[in-house]
Amino acid sequence: QVQLVESGGGSVQAGESLRLSCAASTYIISTYCLAWFRQAPGKGREGVAAIIAGAGRTTYLDSVKGRFTISQDKAKNTLYLQMNSLQPEDTGMYYCAVARGNWDNCPLRQYYTYDYWGQGTQVTVSS
């Protein structure tokens, strides 16, 4: 059973940056997916970015391409999301998640395929 703990959220103004961290209790098998999802009040859960643990192949939500970068520190069992040029529409609760399996490309739309979830960290961006 993988435990995930997010940190790094906060309140910022538009144009500023944040780096989110997700600490996993164990290393992640190379073919698993690591991902960040977010959810705003009254909205559905939205896949933001994902990475295949071993190969490092990444997938991004179109609206964050060029602004957000997903990465990992395998030695620390930690996943990161660097968020630059934040905008009010980026506001939401951000969750770290892991999908078991032999993935070639990580799913972003199918949140229900992810097996493990963190508790979330709040990101609020004001204009």
Side-chain angles (χ1 to χ4, degrees):
Q1 191 83 264
V2 178
Q3 296 181 68
L4 305 170
V5 180
E6 303 97 332
S7 62
S11 296
V12 299
Q13 294 187 324
E16 295 183 342
S17 299
L18 284 172
R19 188 180 75 161
L20 306 183
S21 298
C22 171
S25 59
T26 64
Y27 86 96
I28 306 301
I29 292 173
S30 63
T31 58
Y32 286 11
C33 282
L34 302 164
W36 290 97
F37 289 81
R38 67 188 181 190
Q39 189 164 21
K43 303 293 184 180
R45 195 172 304 180
E46 182 178 48
V48 177
I51 185 169
I52 300 176
R57 178 177 292 178
T58 58
T59 304
Y60 293 95
L61 180 68
D62 284 346
S63 64
V64 309
K65 288 180 179 177
R67 298 190 297 121
F68 290 11
T69 302
I70 188 170
S71 62
Q72 61 183 321
D73 185 333
K74 294 179 180 179
K76 295 181 178 180
N77 299 326
T78 301
L79 179 72
Y80 301 100
L81 184 67
Q82 178 66 46
M83 305 186 295
N84 297 329
S85 301
L86 283 162
Q87 301 299 313
E89 55 265 36
D90 296 316
T91 293
M93 185 70 74
Y94 282 69
Y95 300 92
C96 174
V98 175
R100 296 176 296 174
N102 187 15
W103 298 97
D104 292 319
N105 294 288
C106 293
L108 277 183
R109 298 183 184 87
Q110 299 80 18
Y111 66 88
Y112 47 84
T113 63
Y114 285 78
D115 301 286
Y116 306 106
W117 294 83
Q119 84 291 341
T121 186
Q122 178 68 35
V123 172
T124 302
V125 185
S126 60
S127 59

